[in-house]
Amino acid sequence: MGSRLEEKSKLVRKRIEGHTFDDEKGDEYEGSKFGGFTEYFRRKKIKLQNLDAQLRAQSADKPQIFKGVVCHINGYTQPSLNDLHALIVQHGGGFIQYLDGKTMVTHIIASNLTPKKKEEFKRYRMVKPAWIVDSVNAGKLLPWDAYRVVDEGVGQKVLGFDNGQVVSQVNKRTQGYKEQTDASWYTSQLKGEHSQMPGTSRKQPSFTQTLTPGEDIEDDEKYPAPEITSSIERAFDQDGMDDGQSSPQKLQQPRKLPATNTLIETPPPTSPPLAPIQDERAYPGEATGADATKLADGNASRLRPREGSQEPDYSMAIVRDSEKLNALSPSRLASMTAEEHNALLLSDPRIRKSTVVHPDFLEQYYRESRLHHLSTWKAELKSQLQALAAEKSSSQKTKLKKLPGQRRYIMHVDFDSFFAAVSLKKYPQYKDKPAVVAHGGGSGSEIASCNYPARKFGVSNGMWMKRAQDLYPELKILPYDFPGYEEASRKFYDAIVATGGTVQSVSIDEALVDISAICFAESGTDGVKRYEGAVHREQRKADLVAQQLRDEVLEKTGCAVSVGIGGNILQAKIALRKAKPAGQYHLKPEEVLDFIGKLEVEKLPGVAWSIGGKLEEIGIKLVSDIREVSKEKLINALGPKTGEKMWDYSRGIDRTDVGDQVIRKSVSAEVNWGVRFENQEQVDEFMLGLCGELHKRLVKERVKGKQLTMKVMRRAADAPRDPPKHLGHGKCDTYNKSLQLGVATNDTAVITKEAIGMMKTFNISPGELRGIGMQMQKLDPIKFGTEGTDVGSQLKLQFKVGQSSKTAPVNQNTVEAERAPEDPIQDVVTPEKQRVADANKPSVPVRPVNHSTPTKKALNMLGTQFVLPTQVDPSVLAELPADIRAKLARHVRPAGQSAPVPAAVNNHEKTSWSPSRAQSPARAFALPNQSQLDPSILEALPEDVRAEILGFYKSPGNRKRGEQALLPQSPRKLRTLPPIKQPVKRKRGGGLFAGRARSNLHSGDNSTLTQSNFVARPLAPKHLQEDGAATTTDTEAEPDELDAEFLAALPEDLRKEVLDQQRQARLQRTGGIDLSLHQRPKARKKKACDEEAPLDRLLQIPPRPSRPTFTMRKLTELPDLRVAVKAWYHEFSDEGPYEEDVAALVKYLRDVVHDERDMTKAVAVVKWLAWLVEEGDEDVSEKVRVAWARGVETVEQGVQSAVEERGLGTVNVG
Amino acid sequence: MSTEATTLRVIIAAFTDFLTVAIHTILYERAIYPPTSFLSARKYNLSVRQNRHPKVCEWINDAVSAVETELLKGVVGRVAIVIYTKDNHPVERFMLDVSRFPTVALADLDTPLERTAANGDRLPILPRIDMEEQFRATLSRLASCSSTLKPLPEGCVFNIAVELKQDGQPPLNHPQPWMPVQSAKGDAVGGQLQKKAVPVRSIAAGELLLECWIEEADGAS
């Protein structure tokens, strides 16, 4: 050190160390004088030091680790300033409350600094409060630089010491309150149930983990406890360091452990193979008998790493023993990038096998995960039940209608300690002994189920094994027996369904059954009226049903079930409590209130310590207490939903109904174990797999989703690369991102594409990834069409793929054809005859679809992009509604004898886009006036059909149908639209919709791809085509004829427009000038007129009579007039106005009054003139003045008379 | 120039807006109702007064919509806001000459209008900004009319009248919002009523041509 920092702080330190306090007789205890603030303050500081000195003297037993340290605390810290102060002083440090200068102290403690202060204090020792806490915990002064508040930036490598070597480390830390909160001492106290001690590494024995949630309070009370244990552990830690696996991050990240507290709560993703269970059972005694202190005392070396129930057998040992990792120097390890680290890790085949890089990972992952197993099982069960219920309700014709005030009989059937009971069947010898089902005897194993003898000892489900073994060391541990569970569950449900009530599965081992109907049948009532006998009969029947059910299940499975019967689900659940074990209880309506009232609130279903705690705050302990409280107060305390629910529950009311299906809101697939990537390709590949999994689940749930949410867990910057749990995710930052898909989908490709895109936006290096989850929300159920094709939602593919939609998927074949893998372009270029001939295939070949090449995109000049095939599968046709069939029938008839489409047609279609198409032989099939037609349709048609279609154009009766085709239709209907919209286009001569069609066309023209549209437009008729007519062949004659006929049939104005359009198109092609740009405003204008007044064009207003003007210069505006009048006056100021001039002015002003009707202007001019004359030059002669005055008078009179002539009375012009 | 197609209906709607504001302004300036019953409002970017009594507002709105109906028929020559004394003698008339509004057939009310100048340019039918400026000017003139007009006697009332064009058919159908009267000329009260005209302003915004003046009964009091 020895820096400038030292000088002053050394002085201060010495002063503090030398500071003694004997009694309150020093001068600092004298009263301060008036105005002597400095004196007062000096004394105050001395007095504060007195206090410190006293405190230090009192705690001489504490290790004086902070000797030589003088601290100041800046800002909010955790622990608080007081606590830190006490800690520092008690451990021999100096503390300065008031910082007179930055160099006064050796360290300044702060959690966070403002940017300004960061700059200001950059060169000082800014330390996080954790330094104090950890140092105290460690019992020695830890290097402060691991706790820097201000550092050199994240990218800067820093030098560090490790075992005497200088190592370069990547400087990484997180900042901010979140970290502080997560890692803070208080938080760790709150989460104390799993608290692991600061400074522990992954190999640290963590016996405190086994504390159950209930114990965190005790934990709080004996606050120093963690310190004690931690110092012991630290001691182990030091010992254990030597075995080669101490990580360099250790020094660097001494505080990482509190964070892992949160992580441990995440559900374990995998279940280990059964083998390790056996392993662990081999030495149960080691863990069972030991309690924390005992272990700490003697068996330290025998402590095993946490044997999590979820951890695979190749646990830490692999990582620990991996020579590859060990071979590397710690410094090397530290300097690797995350990817390199992972690559190294994955280079061990055993590890690789269990990470996402392994191709079978996902499959294996989901196969082995216990939670996954159970949840999918349940989902299956539910869907099975649903199917069963649907079957039943349809066969039972009427589901019992629920009447208000009706009595209900709900059974809640539940296995007694399901897992335990089933597992015990294999080990009957343990039946009467306390036994639990768990993954293993390891202290960290969680108890999945325990039998009743075990419960007597206080063992309960979900308890950590350690705690259970504390309660009863001889506890028998049974392995899972999944096949057994499944079988038992199946039998159980068979029996339940056999009762004939409405079944709702709660989980694999419990179910709700509504047997009201059965009971009413017994009593012969409707369940509303109250006959003494009937109610009794019903209740008896309910009991009987329950008894039979229990007997049956016991007989079939060998396990006891309990049944609670009540008037609703709540009552049934509560009754079940009393029924257990192996009994049944009927909660009669009259005893409901008493029964529930006596319960503690936390006994209510759905109420646990969190709600219970809140209720206790407002003085509620028993359910009956809730009834004393107003609903509002409950809602205030618990929120609107829960509050109301509690209010209802306290009165035995439960509105949910058996069989109410909770609608699934989301489907997700998530992996956060074993996620280790070396490079981006692996990520993408994995995403594909994960999306596939999501797809599978979506399909299973028969839903599609519209919103995709991605959750990504990224290794927290300060977390070690190898988390405490083998291949677990460790401490992570979690990021979420959502995406609206617009159209519901469950397509793997779409999801994958979006997912990979989203992943890229996170911009997380592959090596830092620790978990990926995909979730699909906003689910739409898939409806299955008659042929099993999905018609539930919009068919996005067809819709997007512009031209292919023309194939109008009427039947499944069509859909298949569209999805056919072969490139549709080839279909066009080399058409297969049989393909067209085959009636099951769409007659219209799939058009090339390539959005990136707009030149290939034919102009869709029709009102809709949907076209119906002219050749229709008769079987499909038969299923269509009559009206649609009728429309289709017209086209189906010729389809029978349809000739194959000549290849030339398609050739033509292709070549017609090129400028040279005029010379193309394919022009044989050039169609008339195609600018109005979709060429692809007509060309694909057999000749006779085409003729018929063209015939349509001429038949007047066709218009109506054409219009109909333009009406907005639901997407589903679009699939069966009749193919008759060309007529509309051509017949747009009349009717409202015709105008729309045209406007459609205009909007098409407005696209930026105008050029291509016009290029794609088929050949213009010959007689309009001066330039291209050179190579006209005979075959063109027909189109021309048709064209002429058609044109003749059009109204005059339309014909003109059609021709105009063609000319324009031709110019487009030949000249390449985008005329449409110039045309556009006009077109739009016309459109507007059409819409507003279909019959009229613009109304030309007849020209207005021109305004009267003054003088030769045709003045009309008042300022001009004034100027003119002024000029006139000045001109004639020496001789007086001429009569004619005055008369001219009068005439003009009369005209203004009469014709322009602007009396104001006339009056203003008069007034102006009068003013001019009045204010005129003094030197004018009297004669002139009089002449002017007379002139003014004349003008005034003229205006006056003009005004009077209009009948306006006199006007004040003076 | 406004982008929307200007039809006669649009022009007349613009006028009736103005008429409503003008009536409120006159009522305020001539103190027909107590000044405290008026709110300050903003129209045409000008601070104007609006009576806040719902009945008054309703009456004015009804009257204006009746005027609008007649305007759409194209038979109105002038619109007058007449102020009477307690004993029903007219003292002031605020005149709006609307006879030069474009006339179109009833069916063409919603047909966009077009006027082309001699050189073929299209002229604006209803230049909004210009129109609003002129309305603003007219309203501010109206607002200062009190300085030139004689104070009104106590207890005056007001009414709205329309003068039809020469060939205009009076609206005689049921329900009858208008009361037909004979031409004011040669009034029963001693022949030609002596009156004085105070020009206010003319408005010429595209096709909206309007002249506004005040007639004051001369020597009535």
Side-chain angles (χ1 to χ4, degrees), chain A residues 134 137 183-185 187-189 191-211 219 226-227 229-230 233-234 254-264 305-307 311 464 723-725:
Chain A
D134 290 353
N137 286 342
S184 81
W185 182 79
T187 319
S188 65
Q189 288 293 299
K191 294 174 178 169
E193 60 260 40
H194 312 299
S195 70
Q196 292 182 320
M197 290 311 114
T200 48
S201 77
R202 55 183 187 248
K203 71 179 181 91
Q204 189 105 27
S206 47
F207 31 80
T208 42
Q209 256 181 10
T210 53
L211 291 174
D219 218 17
E227 286 163 86
T229 37
S230 78
E233 290 191 14
R234 192 154 289 282
R255 286 190 309 116
K256 67 203 165 202
L257 247 294
T260 53
N261 290 340
T262 49
L263 300 173
I264 284 158
R306 174 171 171 250
E307 207 74 55
E311 281 195 17
W464 293 99
K725 191 173 124 186

Side-chain angles (χ1 to χ4, degrees), chain A residues 884-961:
Chain A
I884 299 174
R885 194 166 53 218
K887 287 169 196 164
L888 276 173
R890 230 179 269 258
H891 297 274
V892 171
R893 195 166 13 89
Q897 69 243 18
S898 69
V901 178
V905 171
N906 291 307
N907 276 341
H908 164 70
E909 182 173 313
K910 194 162 172 264
T911 50
S912 67
W913 302 322
S914 72
S916 68
R917 84 208 158 287
Q919 281 80 32
S920 163
R923 292 189 66 217
F925 285 89
L927 290 167
N929 202 13
Q930 302 94 320
S931 63
Q932 307 302 313
L933 276 178
D934 187 330
S936 65
I937 299 297
L938 276 182
E939 282 161 5
L941 291 175
E943 221 160 11
D944 49 348
V945 179
R946 184 166 65 237
E948 187 167 341
I949 283 182
L950 293 172
F952 270 115
Y953 302 159
K954 288 174 252 166
S955 85
N958 192 36
R959 184 180 303 170
K960 213 168 187 170
R961 187 167 47 243

